Amino acid sequence: MFNLIRRDVILQKKQLLMFIPFILFFIIMDAHPALIFLVASIFIPFNTYAYDEKAETNILLNSLPYTRREIIASRYLGAIVYMVLAVGVTSLALAAFNKSFSMTDIAIGSGLFLLFAALTFPLFYIFKPGYISAAVMIGFLFLAGVGPRIVLFIAEHTTAITDFIASLSTPALYTGAAAAITALYAASWGVTHIIYQRKAF
Amino acid sequence: MENVVELKNVTKAFKGFSVKNMDLQVKKGFVTGFIGANGAGKSTTIKLMMNLLKPDAGEVKLFGLDYKTHEKAIKERIGFVYDGNVFFEGLNLKDIKRIVSPAYKNWDDIIFSEYIDKFQLPLHKAIKTFSKGMQMKASLAIALSHHAELIIMDEPTAGLDPIFRRELLNLLQELMVDGNRTIFFSTHITTDLDRIADYIAFIHGGELVFNQSIHEIAENYALVKGGVELLDRDTEKDFVHIHRTSAGFQALTDNMKAVKHTFGDMVVIERASLEDIMYNFKGGMHHV
């Protein structure tokens, strides 16, 4: 299984050269640190899908001594592994440029990444290859652009929820969010697992 | 005799096509050629063997094990070669090896380098720059480098030039010297099989027509030629397909003994090639 996770690095050697300039671009543009953590985390796991959505890749992986359970597990565990690595590299880059960031930024960036991954990973196994990568990327940019406004809109118009959230203490808020995201990630894993078991190649 | 692959009553239905009640055994230590027209169900059957497809009904067993509980153990023992390239086309062979080799417990780097030398494959060029023949050699090198007991190949000779086809067949023959190996491969180029196959499995319209040794096929199947006046409801029974012309008939039988008994010297009996057999089944089985 470790091999399946390591595979992503071998596949993306060339793209990885882009990784650093990619992060630096965001840092120089003075983007919010949480956003940089999010974007950096997305880089490897979603690039992998550009390969994995191809039927041939699935035929190859499933003909090797791996089970379908392992293939999906490597996606979900791999995303976490690469997220941690990306956060590490990004932290170093931020520190090198003397940009301040907090643990909260890391938590928000990682949390949003996991949320995004949980929502989109199953789609890669539902939709036809060729469309999904583009759809997810557009979806991401759209959400990044419009998402905050929607949240603000909801916050203003549904005061009951806002009041409830505001009434929570900061630790409770973070713990709650972490628990919710973990649960969603686990549920997403379960759904993808079931979809993949039934897939024909 | 031990069976390496056993399909029992396997059915798999798709829109407009299905593999029906397939009972197929692949015997250990032999080369089995899997023939059938395009769209007869060869690739589907191979995918069922590889667990890329799951049967709607029936049982698939390899080495006496089923995929539900022994998936990894089974695949450790299989080397696969597919019709098209399944490897990441942007990568070079060295990187592909780095991805594939850790998957197998028995991966053997020495054998792999031997094949790379033998096939004269470049390690540092992307697979997509390879010719069809080189891609086939590359998959073969990968399939043969982990001491697989069973080699499953889907149309390995399709699209290859005659020289390399012959090289490939020689190589397969060399592999069989080790008596534990089993090779199962599909093809629609039947002349490949005369050279190396011990058994022939013939699939037609999603159904297995026969799975017999080359020897049995030569004993049972024959082309029969004679005058049309010899044909009637009773004598036609032993023919799979009959082609009538004004000059006489030509028919394929799957029961040469019976034909000899019925017609004696009144007909000419010729050896049926695999192509003759496939061709005569094309119009469907008429036991007229």
Side-chain angles (χ1 to χ4, degrees):
Chain A
M1 179 124 85
F2 170 71
N3 298 319
L4 279 171
I5 296 176
R6 202 182 63 123
R7 168 186 75 108
D8 298 353
V9 180
I10 302 176
L11 269 174
Q12 297 181 40
K13 264 191 310 195
K14 285 189 194 124
Q15 286 97 319
L16 282 179
L17 294 176
M18 297 267 301
F19 184 70
I20 300 291
F22 186 68
I23 297 175
L24 291 184
F25 171 77
F26 279 89
I27 293 177
I28 292 163
M29 294 299 286
D30 225 7
H32 193 280
L35 177 68
I36 302 177
F37 283 118
L38 169 62
V39 171
S41 304
I42 281 176
F43 199 83
I44 296 180
F46 281 87
N47 246 326
T48 301
Y49 276 108
Y51 292 93
D52 277 15
E53 65 177 6
K54 295 204 176 89
E56 294 83 20
T57 305
N58 284 302
I59 290 176
L60 172 65
L61 293 181
N62 281 284
S63 300
L64 293 171
Y66 295 120
T67 60
R68 294 186 180 202
R69 175 187 297 274
E70 286 175 322
I71 292 168
I72 293 305
S74 79
R75 299 290 77 220
Y76 278 82
L77 293 177
I80 295 175
V81 170
Y82 287 115
M83 178 188 84
V84 170
L85 292 177
V87 165
V89 172
T90 310
S91 305
L92 287 177
L94 283 168
F97 277 77
N98 266 329
K99 303 271 176 188
S100 66
F101 63 96
S102 61
M103 281 308 284
T104 315
D105 295 327
I106 294 182
I108 291 173
S110 314
L112 286 175
F113 165 71
L114 291 176
L115 185 66
F116 184 60
L119 293 176
T120 51
F121 278 9
L123 301 179
F124 283 98
Y125 298 96
I126 296 172
F127 288 110
K128 277 222 166 69
Y131 299 101
I132 187 66
S133 283
V136 167
M137 274 311 162
I138 291 168
F140 173 71
L141 293 174
F142 176 77
L143 279 182
V146 186
R149 263 174 246 177
I150 296 174
V151 173
L152 283 179
F153 179 82
I154 293 173
E156 274 166 29
H157 289 81
T158 52
T159 38
I161 300 174
T162 333
D163 289 347
F164 170 70
I165 293 173
S167 73
L168 291 172
S169 65
T170 316
L173 187 64
Y174 279 92
T175 322
I181 287 171
T182 311
L184 196 66
Y185 198 69
S188 165
W189 185 340
V191 168
T192 307
H193 175 79
I194 292 166
I195 295 169
Y196 201 64
Q197 289 291 333
R198 293 182 183 172
K199 234 174 144 69
F201 302 111
Chain B
M1 220 174 324
E2 210 179 317
N3 292 326
V4 172
V5 180
E6 230 163 318
L7 265 60
K8 262 189 217 148
N9 226 348
V10 168
T11 296
K12 177 82 194 172
F14 298 100
K15 260 183 223 148
F17 172 75
S18 61
V19 165
K20 285 163 286 219
N21 305 322
M22 174 86 70
D23 274 302
L24 174 64
Q25 288 95 34
V26 179
K27 293 188 176 59
K28 187 178 172 175
F30 293 98
V31 177
T32 300
F34 191 35
I35 61 171
N38 291 330
K42 297 192 297 289
S43 291
T44 302
T45 308
I46 284 183
K47 284 180 173 176
L48 285 163
M49 284 181 184
M50 291 299 302
N51 201 31
L52 295 176
L53 290 176
K54 293 183 181 173
D56 298 336
E59 197 177 51
V60 178
K61 276 190 170 178
L62 279 88
F63 312 104
L65 307 169
D66 68 13
Y67 271 111
K68 224 175 222 143
T69 44
H70 297 93
E71 174 150 20
K72 292 178 81 156
I74 292 172
K75 286 177 179 169
E76 285 278 354
R77 295 159 76 177
I78 301 179
F80 56 88
V81 173
Y82 295 117
D83 185 6
N85 173 45
V86 293
F87 300 104
F88 308 97
E89 51 177 24
L91 293 191
N92 60 33
L93 254 183
K94 199 174 165 199
D95 283 336
I96 288 172
K97 192 205 85 175
R98 280 160 71 192
I99 289 175
V100 172
S101 64
Y104 293 104
K105 288 193 192 105
N106 289 327
W107 181 268
D108 193 329
D109 262 338
I110 298 168
I111 296 188
F112 182 71
S113 339
E114 275 174 20
Y115 281 118
I116 295 302
D117 289 345
K118 186 172 184 169
F119 296 155
Q120 299 177 327
L121 292 169
L123 277 174
H124 299 280
K125 269 177 134 180
I127 288 275
K128 65 179 167 207
T129 66
F130 284 21
S131 67
K132 175 98 188 176
M134 281 161 80
Q135 283 186 3
M136 174 56 57
K137 284 175 179 173
S139 342
L140 208 57
I142 290 169
L144 297 177
S145 297
H146 59 96
H147 302 282
E149 294 160 56
L150 168 65
I151 316 273
I152 293 181
M153 299 188 283
D154 192 6
E155 301 277 358
T157 56
L160 298 181
D161 65 63
I163 297 165
F164 181 59
R165 253 180 38 221
R166 204 178 264 216
E167 276 172 25
L168 174 69
L169 297 175
N170 289 342
L171 176 78
L172 296 183
Q173 237 158 2
E174 277 169 37
L175 290 174
M176 294 306 292
V177 176
D178 167 13
N180 284 322
R181 275 243 172 74
T182 307
I183 294 180
F184 181 84
F185 78 106
S186 71
T187 181
H188 55 255
I189 305 171
T190 53
T191 45
D192 290 345
L193 297 166
D194 296 333
R195 211 166 283 138
I196 65 159
D198 303 296
Y199 287 87
I200 304 286
F202 175 37
I203 184 173
H204 181 79
E207 285 180 78
L208 189 73
V209 179
F210 61 72
N211 179 16
Q212 296 179 348
S213 71
I214 286 270
H215 187 66
E216 285 172 302
I217 293 170
E219 262 178 8
N220 297 332
Y221 285 85
L223 284 179
V224 182
K225 290 173 185 168
V228 266
E229 71 281 358
L230 295 171
L231 297 174
D232 60 41
R233 199 179 290 258
D234 279 335
T235 57
E236 283 177 3
K237 269 203 322 265
D238 295 322
F239 296 123
V240 174
H241 181 256
I242 301 172
H243 179 66
R244 289 164 218 261
T245 62
S246 50
F249 76 92
Q250 176 175 320
L252 179 78
T253 177
D254 56 0
N255 191 349
M256 187 152 60
K257 261 189 207 143
V259 168
K260 274 185 181 158
H261 184 256
T262 315
F263 298 105
D265 289 339
M266 291 184 291
V267 292
V268 179
I269 297 178
E270 287 173 2
R271 185 177 169 272
S273 69
L274 290 172
E275 209 172 291
D276 293 329
I277 296 174
M278 277 171 73
Y279 176 74
N280 279 289
F281 270 96
K282 202 184 72 185
M285 265 191 282
H286 317 287
H287 269 283
V288 230

